[in-house]
Amino acid sequence: MHIRFNPIGNLGAVSTFQVQQSQKTFTVEAEETDPKQAEIETSRKKYAEMIQSCNAIDQGATPKQLVNTQTNAICIEYGVYYHLGTINGKPLNGTALTGGGFNSNFSPMIWKSEPGTRVTPEQEAALRRHKSYSQAERQGANELVHVLMTLKRLGDGGSLATINKDAMFMQNFSRFAKGVGLDISKPFTINGKLFSYSKGSLQAVE
Protein backbone atom coordinates (compact mmCIF):
# COMPACT_ATOMS: atom_id res chain seq x y z
CA MET A 1 0.00 0.00 0.00
CA HIS A 2 1.33 3.46 -0.91
CA ILE A 3 0.36 6.81 0.60
CA ARG A 4 1.34 9.86 -1.48
CA PHE A 5 1.74 13.30 0.08
CA ASN A 6 1.42 16.33 -2.23
CA PRO A 7 3.50 19.50 -1.74
CA ILE A 8 2.03 22.29 0.35
CA GLY A 9 0.71 25.05 -1.91
CA ASN A 10 0.81 28.09 0.40
CA LEU A 11 3.29 28.35 3.25
CA GLY A 12 3.00 32.09 3.89
CA ALA A 13 6.12 33.66 5.40
CA VAL A 14 8.41 30.65 5.27
CA SER A 15 11.98 30.65 4.05
CA THR A 16 12.68 29.99 0.38
CA PHE A 17 14.61 26.87 1.30
CA GLN A 18 11.62 25.41 3.13
CA VAL A 19 9.33 26.25 0.21
CA GLN A 20 11.64 24.49 -2.22
CA GLN A 21 11.85 21.49 0.02
CA SER A 22 8.06 21.33 0.23
CA GLN A 23 7.75 21.04 -3.55
CA LYS A 24 9.03 17.48 -3.48
CA THR A 25 6.45 14.75 -3.11
CA PHE A 26 7.33 11.71 -1.07
CA THR A 27 5.83 8.29 -0.54
CA VAL A 28 5.37 6.28 2.64
CA GLU A 29 5.25 2.56 2.01
CA ALA A 30 3.31 0.41 4.46
CA GLU A 31 4.70 -3.02 5.17
CA GLU A 32 2.76 -5.60 3.18
CA THR A 33 1.81 -8.98 4.59
CA ASP A 34 4.10 -11.78 3.51
CA PRO A 35 1.87 -14.65 2.28
CA LYS A 36 4.44 -17.25 3.33
CA GLN A 37 4.72 -15.77 6.81
CA ALA A 38 0.93 -15.69 7.12
CA GLU A 39 0.80 -19.35 6.10
CA ILE A 40 3.43 -20.22 8.70
CA GLU A 41 1.50 -18.40 11.43
CA THR A 42 -1.72 -20.21 10.46
CA SER A 43 0.08 -23.56 10.60
CA ARG A 44 1.46 -22.71 14.03
CA LYS A 45 -2.02 -21.79 15.25
CA LYS A 46 -3.48 -25.07 13.97
CA TYR A 47 -0.69 -27.06 15.61
CA ALA A 48 -1.07 -25.21 18.92
CA GLU A 49 -4.83 -25.81 18.93
CA MET A 50 -4.34 -29.50 18.30
CA ILE A 51 -1.77 -29.85 21.09
CA GLN A 52 -3.95 -27.90 23.51
CA SER A 53 -7.00 -30.00 22.64
CA CYS A 54 -5.16 -33.31 23.05
CA ASN A 55 -3.74 -32.17 26.39
CA ALA A 56 -7.21 -31.16 27.59
CA ILE A 57 -8.53 -34.63 26.75
CA ASP A 58 -5.55 -36.48 28.27
CA GLN A 59 -5.55 -34.41 31.46
CA GLY A 60 -9.32 -34.44 31.94
CA ALA A 61 -9.50 -30.65 31.84
CA THR A 62 -12.75 -28.93 32.76
CA PRO A 63 -14.49 -27.91 29.52
CA LYS A 64 -16.16 -24.57 28.93
CA GLN A 65 -19.95 -24.56 29.01
CA LEU A 66 -21.24 -23.85 25.53
CA VAL A 67 -24.40 -21.97 26.53
CA ASN A 68 -24.80 -18.84 28.62
CA THR A 69 -28.07 -19.85 30.27
CA GLN A 70 -28.76 -16.31 31.51
CA THR A 71 -28.86 -14.90 27.97
CA ASN A 72 -29.75 -18.17 26.18
CA ALA A 73 -26.79 -17.62 23.89
CA ILE A 74 -24.22 -19.85 22.23
CA CYS A 75 -20.79 -18.58 21.26
CA ILE A 76 -18.74 -21.11 19.28
CA GLU A 77 -15.05 -20.40 18.74
CA TYR A 78 -12.27 -22.45 17.25
CA GLY A 79 -9.67 -23.72 19.68
CA VAL A 80 -11.96 -23.77 22.74
CA TYR A 81 -12.58 -26.99 24.69
CA TYR A 82 -16.37 -27.33 25.09
CA HIS A 83 -18.84 -29.64 26.83
CA LEU A 84 -21.50 -30.95 24.41
CA GLY A 85 -23.70 -33.00 26.69
CA THR A 86 -23.56 -36.71 27.41
CA ILE A 87 -23.84 -40.05 25.60
CA ASN A 88 -25.14 -42.85 27.83
CA GLY A 89 -24.23 -40.70 30.81
CA LYS A 90 -20.66 -40.22 29.56
CA PRO A 91 -19.57 -36.59 29.02
CA LEU A 92 -18.76 -35.52 25.47
CA ASN A 93 -16.07 -32.84 25.35
CA GLY A 94 -13.96 -31.51 22.54
CA THR A 95 -12.56 -28.72 20.41
CA ALA A 96 -13.54 -27.33 17.01
CA LEU A 97 -10.26 -26.85 15.14
CA THR A 98 -9.31 -23.99 12.84
CA GLY A 99 -7.76 -26.50 10.46
CA GLY A 100 -11.04 -28.39 10.19
CA GLY A 101 -12.70 -31.17 12.14
CA PHE A 102 -13.49 -31.67 15.80
CA ASN A 103 -11.21 -33.37 18.31
CA SER A 104 -13.31 -35.11 20.98
CA ASN A 105 -12.68 -37.46 23.87
CA PHE A 106 -14.88 -40.05 22.11
CA SER A 107 -12.80 -40.02 18.93
CA PRO A 108 -9.47 -38.32 19.66
CA MET A 109 -7.38 -37.53 16.63
CA ILE A 110 -4.31 -39.72 16.30
CA TRP A 111 -1.07 -38.18 15.10
CA LYS A 112 0.12 -39.66 11.83
CA SER A 113 3.52 -41.36 11.93
CA GLU A 114 6.01 -41.83 9.16
CA PRO A 115 6.05 -45.33 7.63
CA GLY A 116 8.30 -47.68 9.55
CA THR A 117 8.28 -45.68 12.80
CA ARG A 118 7.06 -46.99 16.14
CA VAL A 119 3.67 -46.14 17.57
CA THR A 120 4.09 -43.44 20.21
CA PRO A 121 2.61 -43.61 23.75
CA GLU A 122 0.31 -40.72 22.80
CA GLN A 123 -1.01 -42.63 19.80
CA GLU A 124 -1.58 -45.72 21.93
CA ALA A 125 -3.47 -43.67 24.53
CA ALA A 126 -5.67 -42.08 21.87
CA LEU A 127 -6.47 -45.48 20.39
CA ARG A 128 -7.34 -46.94 23.81
CA ARG A 129 -9.63 -44.00 24.51
CA HIS A 130 -11.30 -44.44 21.12
CA LYS A 131 -11.91 -48.15 21.78
CA SER A 132 -13.29 -47.48 25.27
CA TYR A 133 -16.54 -46.31 23.67
CA SER A 134 -18.89 -48.50 21.66
CA GLN A 135 -19.56 -47.86 18.00
CA ALA A 136 -23.08 -46.73 18.89
CA GLU A 137 -21.70 -44.25 21.44
CA ARG A 138 -19.22 -42.84 18.95
CA GLN A 139 -22.03 -42.47 16.41
CA GLY A 140 -24.12 -40.60 18.99
CA ALA A 141 -21.16 -38.33 19.69
CA ASN A 142 -20.66 -37.70 15.97
CA GLU A 143 -24.30 -36.61 15.67
CA LEU A 144 -23.92 -34.01 18.42
CA VAL A 145 -20.63 -32.80 16.97
CA HIS A 146 -22.35 -32.44 13.59
CA VAL A 147 -24.97 -30.19 15.19
CA LEU A 148 -22.29 -28.04 16.81
CA MET A 149 -20.29 -27.60 13.61
CA THR A 150 -23.48 -26.81 11.68
CA LEU A 151 -24.40 -24.14 14.23
CA LYS A 152 -20.90 -22.72 13.87
CA ARG A 153 -21.43 -22.37 10.12
CA LEU A 154 -24.86 -20.83 10.71
CA GLY A 155 -23.45 -18.31 13.18
CA ASP A 156 -20.76 -17.42 10.65
CA GLY A 157 -23.35 -16.61 7.98
CA GLY A 158 -24.21 -20.03 6.52
CA SER A 159 -27.43 -20.68 4.62
CA LEU A 160 -30.40 -21.22 6.93
CA ALA A 161 -32.36 -22.92 4.15
CA THR A 162 -29.57 -25.44 3.60
CA ILE A 163 -29.28 -26.18 7.31
CA ASN A 164 -33.03 -26.79 7.63
CA LYS A 165 -32.65 -29.45 4.93
CA ASP A 166 -29.82 -31.17 6.80
CA ALA A 167 -31.45 -34.39 8.06
CA MET A 168 -28.81 -35.27 10.67
CA PHE A 169 -28.89 -31.75 12.08
CA MET A 170 -32.68 -31.57 12.31
CA GLN A 171 -32.97 -35.04 13.85
CA ASN A 172 -30.49 -34.23 16.61
CA PHE A 173 -30.82 -30.49 17.25
CA SER A 174 -33.40 -30.81 20.05
CA ARG A 175 -31.32 -33.48 21.81
CA PHE A 176 -28.22 -31.34 21.45
CA ALA A 177 -29.99 -28.25 22.81
CA LYS A 178 -31.24 -30.14 25.86
CA GLY A 179 -27.78 -31.54 26.56
CA VAL A 180 -26.04 -28.16 26.52
CA GLY A 181 -28.82 -26.24 28.31
CA LEU A 182 -30.16 -24.20 25.39
CA ASP A 183 -33.84 -23.26 25.78
CA ILE A 184 -35.29 -23.57 22.27
CA SER A 185 -38.81 -22.74 23.44
CA LYS A 186 -37.76 -19.09 23.15
CA PRO A 187 -35.40 -17.12 20.87
CA PHE A 188 -31.69 -17.76 21.26
CA THR A 189 -28.50 -16.38 19.75
CA ILE A 190 -25.70 -18.16 17.93
CA ASN A 191 -22.51 -16.12 17.64
CA GLY A 192 -24.53 -12.93 18.02
CA LYS A 193 -27.31 -13.80 15.55
CA LEU A 194 -30.88 -14.29 16.81
CA PHE A 195 -32.92 -17.39 15.91
CA SER A 196 -36.04 -19.25 16.95
CA TYR A 197 -37.03 -22.90 16.60
CA SER A 198 -40.58 -23.86 15.69
CA LYS A 199 -42.29 -26.79 13.98
CA GLY A 200 -39.02 -28.58 13.41
CA SER A 201 -37.10 -25.77 11.72
CA LEU A 202 -34.94 -22.78 12.53
CA GLN A 203 -35.96 -19.23 11.66
CA ALA A 204 -33.95 -16.05 11.76
CA VAL A 205 -35.42 -13.38 14.04
CA GLU A 206 -35.12 -9.84 12.69
mmCIF file of all heavy atoms in Angstrom, residues 16-43:
data_model
loop_
_atom_site.group_PDB
_atom_site.id
_atom_site.type_symbol
_atom_site.label_atom_id
_atom_site.label_comp_id
_atom_site.label_asym_id
_atom_site.label_seq_id
_atom_site.Cartn_x
_atom_site.Cartn_y
_atom_site.Cartn_z
ATOM 1 N N THR A 16 12.655 30.535 1.729
ATOM 2 C CA THR A 16 12.679 29.987 0.376
ATOM 3 C C THR A 16 13.131 28.543 0.378
ATOM 4 O O THR A 16 12.607 27.710 -0.352
ATOM 5 C CB THR A 16 13.629 30.819 -0.503
ATOM 6 O OG1 THR A 16 13.194 32.169 -0.493
ATOM 7 C CG2 THR A 16 13.644 30.289 -1.935
ATOM 8 N N PHE A 17 14.095 28.243 1.238
ATOM 9 C CA PHE A 17 14.606 26.874 1.305
ATOM 10 C C PHE A 17 13.492 25.899 1.684
ATOM 11 O O PHE A 17 13.329 24.850 1.086
ATOM 12 C CB PHE A 17 15.737 26.797 2.330
ATOM 13 C CG PHE A 17 16.202 25.389 2.602
ATOM 14 C CD1 PHE A 17 17.022 24.720 1.691
ATOM 15 C CD2 PHE A 17 15.800 24.723 3.754
ATOM 16 C CE1 PHE A 17 17.438 23.426 1.940
ATOM 17 C CE2 PHE A 17 16.216 23.431 3.999
ATOM 18 C CZ PHE A 17 17.037 22.781 3.091
ATOM 19 N N GLN A 18 12.694 26.278 2.679
ATOM 20 C CA GLN A 18 11.616 25.410 3.126
ATOM 21 C C GLN A 18 10.561 25.242 2.040
ATOM 22 O O GLN A 18 9.992 24.168 1.863
ATOM 23 C CB GLN A 18 10.975 25.977 4.393
ATOM 24 C CG GLN A 18 11.878 25.851 5.618
ATOM 25 C CD GLN A 18 11.269 26.511 6.821
ATOM 26 O OE1 GLN A 18 10.763 27.637 6.708
ATOM 27 N NE2 GLN A 18 11.303 25.848 7.958
ATOM 28 N N VAL A 19 10.302 26.334 1.294
ATOM 29 C CA VAL A 19 9.325 26.253 0.214
ATOM 30 C C VAL A 19 9.800 25.291 -0.851
ATOM 31 O O VAL A 19 9.057 24.464 -1.367
ATOM 32 C CB VAL A 19 9.076 27.650 -0.398
ATOM 33 C CG1 VAL A 19 8.200 27.528 -1.642
ATOM 34 C CG2 VAL A 19 8.424 28.563 0.626
ATOM 35 N N GLN A 20 11.101 25.381 -1.197
ATOM 36 C CA GLN A 20 11.644 24.494 -2.220
ATOM 37 C C GLN A 20 11.591 23.041 -1.762
ATOM 38 O O GLN A 20 11.292 22.146 -2.538
ATOM 39 C CB GLN A 20 13.086 24.904 -2.537
ATOM 40 C CG GLN A 20 13.181 26.236 -3.268
ATOM 41 C CD GLN A 20 14.616 26.684 -3.443
ATOM 42 O OE1 GLN A 20 15.518 26.152 -2.786
ATOM 43 N NE2 GLN A 20 14.834 27.658 -4.316
ATOM 44 N N GLN A 21 11.895 22.849 -0.495
ATOM 45 C CA GLN A 21 11.849 21.489 0.024
ATOM 46 C C GLN A 21 10.434 20.926 -0.028
ATOM 47 O O GLN A 21 10.219 19.755 -0.284
ATOM 48 C CB GLN A 21 12.340 21.460 1.482
ATOM 49 C CG GLN A 21 13.839 21.679 1.630
ATOM 50 C CD GLN A 21 14.621 20.534 1.025
ATOM 51 O OE1 GLN A 21 15.100 20.648 -0.100
ATOM 52 N NE2 GLN A 21 14.733 19.450 1.738
ATOM 53 N N SER A 22 9.446 21.796 0.181
ATOM 54 C CA SER A 22 8.063 21.326 0.228
ATOM 55 C C SER A 22 7.533 20.944 -1.137
ATOM 56 O O SER A 22 6.507 20.296 -1.249
ATOM 57 C CB SER A 22 7.161 22.405 0.837
ATOM 58 O OG SER A 22 7.006 23.477 -0.075
ATOM 59 N N GLN A 23 8.233 21.349 -2.217
ATOM 60 C CA GLN A 23 7.746 21.043 -3.553
ATOM 61 C C GLN A 23 7.975 19.592 -3.944
ATOM 62 O O GLN A 23 7.484 19.134 -4.960
ATOM 63 C CB GLN A 23 8.437 21.961 -4.579
ATOM 64 C CG GLN A 23 8.166 23.446 -4.372
ATOM 65 C CD GLN A 23 6.683 23.745 -4.359
ATOM 66 O OE1 GLN A 23 5.968 23.295 -5.248
ATOM 67 N NE2 GLN A 23 6.223 24.477 -3.358
ATOM 68 N N LYS A 24 8.739 18.869 -3.157
ATOM 69 C CA LYS A 24 9.030 17.481 -3.478
ATOM 70 C C LYS A 24 7.986 16.564 -2.839
ATOM 71 O O LYS A 24 7.724 16.654 -1.651
ATOM 72 C CB LYS A 24 10.416 17.096 -2.964
ATOM 73 C CG LYS A 24 11.543 17.907 -3.591
ATOM 74 C CD LYS A 24 12.878 17.488 -3.004
ATOM 75 C CE LYS A 24 14.018 18.303 -3.607
ATOM 76 N NZ LYS A 24 15.325 17.918 -3.031
ATOM 77 N N THR A 25 7.389 15.733 -3.662
ATOM 78 C CA THR A 25 6.455 14.753 -3.113
ATOM 79 C C THR A 25 7.239 13.566 -2.571
ATOM 80 O O THR A 25 8.353 13.287 -3.020
ATOM 81 C CB THR A 25 5.479 14.250 -4.194
ATOM 82 O OG1 THR A 25 6.227 13.628 -5.230
ATOM 83 C CG2 THR A 25 4.659 15.392 -4.759
ATOM 84 N N PHE A 26 6.671 12.892 -1.605
ATOM 85 C CA PHE A 26 7.335 11.713 -1.074
ATOM 86 C C PHE A 26 6.284 10.655 -0.764
ATOM 87 O O PHE A 26 5.107 10.948 -0.604
ATOM 88 C CB PHE A 26 8.159 12.047 0.178
ATOM 89 C CG PHE A 26 7.354 12.591 1.322
ATOM 90 C CD1 PHE A 26 6.912 11.759 2.334
ATOM 91 C CD2 PHE A 26 7.042 13.955 1.384
ATOM 92 C CE1 PHE A 26 6.183 12.262 3.387
ATOM 93 C CE2 PHE A 26 6.310 14.456 2.438
ATOM 94 C CZ PHE A 26 5.877 13.614 3.444
ATOM 95 N N THR A 27 6.725 9.432 -0.700
ATOM 96 C CA THR A 27 5.827 8.294 -0.536
ATOM 97 C C THR A 27 6.193 7.506 0.707
ATOM 98 O O THR A 27 7.371 7.264 0.968
ATOM 99 C CB THR A 27 5.903 7.363 -1.767
ATOM 100 O OG1 THR A 27 5.540 8.111 -2.920
ATOM 101 C CG2 THR A 27 4.967 6.169 -1.612
ATOM 102 N N VAL A 28 5.180 7.146 1.478
ATOM 103 C CA VAL A 28 5.369 6.281 2.636
ATOM 104 C C VAL A 28 4.830 4.910 2.275
ATOM 105 O O VAL A 28 3.671 4.778 1.892
ATOM 106 C CB VAL A 28 4.621 6.823 3.872
ATOM 107 C CG1 VAL A 28 4.776 5.851 5.041
ATOM 108 C CG2 VAL A 28 5.146 8.197 4.237
ATOM 109 N N GLU A 29 5.664 3.914 2.360
ATOM 110 C CA GLU A 29 5.252 2.562 2.011
ATOM 111 C C GLU A 29 4.932 1.772 3.272
ATOM 112 O O GLU A 29 5.751 1.666 4.172
ATOM 113 C CB GLU A 29 6.345 1.845 1.217
ATOM 114 C CG GLU A 29 6.600 2.459 -0.149
ATOM 115 C CD GLU A 29 7.540 1.610 -0.980
ATOM 116 O OE1 GLU A 29 7.935 0.530 -0.484
ATOM 117 O OE2 GLU A 29 7.868 2.017 -2.097
ATOM 118 N N ALA A 30 3.705 1.250 3.326
ATOM 119 C CA ALA A 30 3.313 0.412 4.458
ATOM 120 C C ALA A 30 3.801 -1.011 4.219
ATOM 121 O O ALA A 30 3.818 -1.486 3.087
ATOM 122 C CB ALA A 30 1.791 0.420 4.612
ATOM 123 N N GLU A 31 4.198 -1.648 5.283
ATOM 124 C CA GLU A 31 4.703 -3.019 5.165
ATOM 125 C C GLU A 31 3.573 -3.957 4.752
ATOM 126 O O GLU A 31 2.517 -3.995 5.372
ATOM 127 C CB GLU A 31 5.281 -3.472 6.502
ATOM 128 C CG GLU A 31 5.915 -4.846 6.446
ATOM 129 C CD GLU A 31 6.531 -5.242 7.773
ATOM 130 O OE1 GLU A 31 6.600 -4.377 8.664
ATOM 131 O OE2 GLU A 31 6.931 -6.410 7.909
ATOM 132 N N GLU A 32 3.782 -4.686 3.674
ATOM 133 C CA GLU A 32 2.763 -5.601 3.180
ATOM 134 C C GLU A 32 2.924 -6.974 3.829
ATOM 135 O O GLU A 32 4.019 -7.389 4.194
ATOM 136 C CB GLU A 32 2.857 -5.716 1.658
ATOM 137 C CG GLU A 32 2.574 -4.395 0.946
ATOM 138 C CD GLU A 32 2.609 -4.542 -0.564
ATOM 139 O OE1 GLU A 32 2.922 -5.658 -1.028
ATOM 140 O OE2 GLU A 32 2.329 -3.561 -1.257
ATOM 141 N N THR A 33 1.797 -7.667 3.959
ATOM 142 C CA THR A 33 1.814 -8.981 4.589
ATOM 143 C C THR A 33 2.493 -9.995 3.682
ATOM 144 O O THR A 33 2.181 -10.094 2.500
ATOM 145 C CB THR A 33 0.378 -9.457 4.882
ATOM 146 O OG1 THR A 33 -0.268 -8.489 5.709
ATOM 147 C CG2 THR A 33 0.384 -10.803 5.587
ATOM 148 N N ASP A 34 3.407 -10.734 4.244
ATOM 149 C CA ASP A 34 4.104 -11.781 3.508
ATOM 150 C C ASP A 34 3.224 -13.026 3.508
ATOM 151 O O ASP A 34 2.945 -13.593 4.568
ATOM 152 C CB ASP A 34 5.442 -12.076 4.186
ATOM 153 C CG ASP A 34 6.258 -13.108 3.416
ATOM 154 O OD1 ASP A 34 5.698 -13.764 2.516
ATOM 155 O OD2 ASP A 34 7.452 -13.263 3.720
ATOM 156 N N PRO A 35 2.760 -13.472 2.329
ATOM 157 C CA PRO A 35 1.875 -14.648 2.281
ATOM 158 C C PRO A 35 2.488 -15.880 2.936
ATOM 159 O O PRO A 35 1.796 -16.644 3.608
ATOM 160 C CB PRO A 35 1.662 -14.860 0.776
ATOM 161 C CG PRO A 35 1.901 -13.519 0.166
ATOM 162 C CD PRO A 35 2.989 -12.900 0.998
ATOM 163 N N LYS A 36 3.787 -16.076 2.735
ATOM 164 C CA LYS A 36 4.439 -17.245 3.325
ATOM 165 C C LYS A 36 4.450 -17.157 4.847
ATOM 166 O O LYS A 36 4.230 -18.151 5.537
ATOM 167 C CB LYS A 36 5.867 -17.371 2.793
ATOM 168 C CG LYS A 36 5.944 -17.777 1.326
ATOM 169 C CD LYS A 36 7.379 -18.003 0.894
ATOM 170 C CE LYS A 36 7.442 -18.456 -0.570
ATOM 171 N NZ LYS A 36 8.840 -18.674 -1.007
ATOM 172 N N GLN A 37 4.708 -15.949 5.362
ATOM 173 C CA GLN A 37 4.724 -15.768 6.805
ATOM 174 C C GLN A 37 3.330 -15.982 7.390
ATOM 175 O O GLN A 37 3.174 -16.585 8.458
ATOM 176 C CB GLN A 37 5.220 -14.360 7.159
ATOM 177 C CG GLN A 37 5.388 -14.107 8.651
ATOM 178 C CD GLN A 37 6.414 -15.023 9.285
ATOM 179 O OE1 GLN A 37 7.405 -15.384 8.658
ATOM 180 N NE2 GLN A 37 6.166 -15.417 10.533
ATOM 181 N N ALA A 38 2.310 -15.499 6.668
ATOM 182 C CA ALA A 38 0.931 -15.691 7.122
ATOM 183 C C ALA A 38 0.578 -17.173 7.152
ATOM 184 O O ALA A 38 -0.099 -17.652 8.073
ATOM 185 C CB ALA A 38 -0.031 -14.942 6.202
ATOM 186 N N GLU A 39 1.056 -17.908 6.152
ATOM 187 C CA GLU A 39 0.802 -19.347 6.102
ATOM 188 C C GLU A 39 1.486 -20.067 7.258
ATOM 189 O O GLU A 39 0.918 -20.979 7.871
ATOM 190 C CB GLU A 39 1.306 -19.911 4.770
ATOM 191 C CG GLU A 39 1.006 -21.380 4.569
ATOM 192 C CD GLU A 39 1.470 -21.891 3.216
ATOM 193 O OE1 GLU A 39 1.806 -21.066 2.346
ATOM 194 O OE2 GLU A 39 1.492 -23.122 3.037
ATOM 195 N N ILE A 40 2.695 -19.634 7.584
ATOM 196 C CA ILE A 40 3.429 -20.224 8.705
ATOM 197 C C ILE A 40 2.694 -19.973 10.018
ATOM 198 O O ILE A 40 2.550 -20.873 10.851
ATOM 199 C CB ILE A 40 4.858 -19.651 8.772
ATOM 200 C CG1 ILE A 40 5.681 -20.151 7.578
ATOM 201 C CG2 ILE A 40 5.538 -20.040 10.086
ATOM 202 C CD1 ILE A 40 7.034 -19.500 7.452
ATOM 203 N N GLU A 41 2.208 -18.746 10.195
ATOM 204 C CA GLU A 41 1.497 -18.403 11.426
ATOM 205 C C GLU A 41 0.206 -19.205 11.558
ATOM 206 O O GLU A 41 -0.154 -19.651 12.649
ATOM 207 C CB GLU A 41 1.182 -16.900 11.453
ATOM 208 C CG GLU A 41 2.403 -16.010 11.610
ATOM 209 C CD GLU A 41 3.179 -16.310 12.885
ATOM 210 O OE1 GLU A 41 2.541 -16.588 13.925
ATOM 211 O OE2 GLU A 41 4.419 -16.283 12.851
ATOM 212 N N THR A 42 -0.489 -19.410 10.433
ATOM 213 C CA THR A 42 -1.716 -20.208 10.456
ATOM 214 C C THR A 42 -1.405 -21.653 10.839
ATOM 215 O O THR A 42 -2.127 -22.271 11.629
ATOM 216 C CB THR A 42 -2.409 -20.171 9.086
ATOM 217 O OG1 THR A 42 -2.755 -18.817 8.765
ATOM 218 C CG2 THR A 42 -3.676 -21.018 9.091
ATOM 219 N N SER A 43 -0.322 -22.191 10.285
ATOM 220 C CA SER A 43 0.080 -23.564 10.603
ATOM 221 C C SER A 43 0.426 -23.699 12.082
ATOM 222 O O SER A 43 0.077 -24.691 12.727
ATOM 223 C CB SER A 43 1.281 -23.975 9.749
ATOM 224 O OG SER A 43 0.941 -24.010 8.382
#
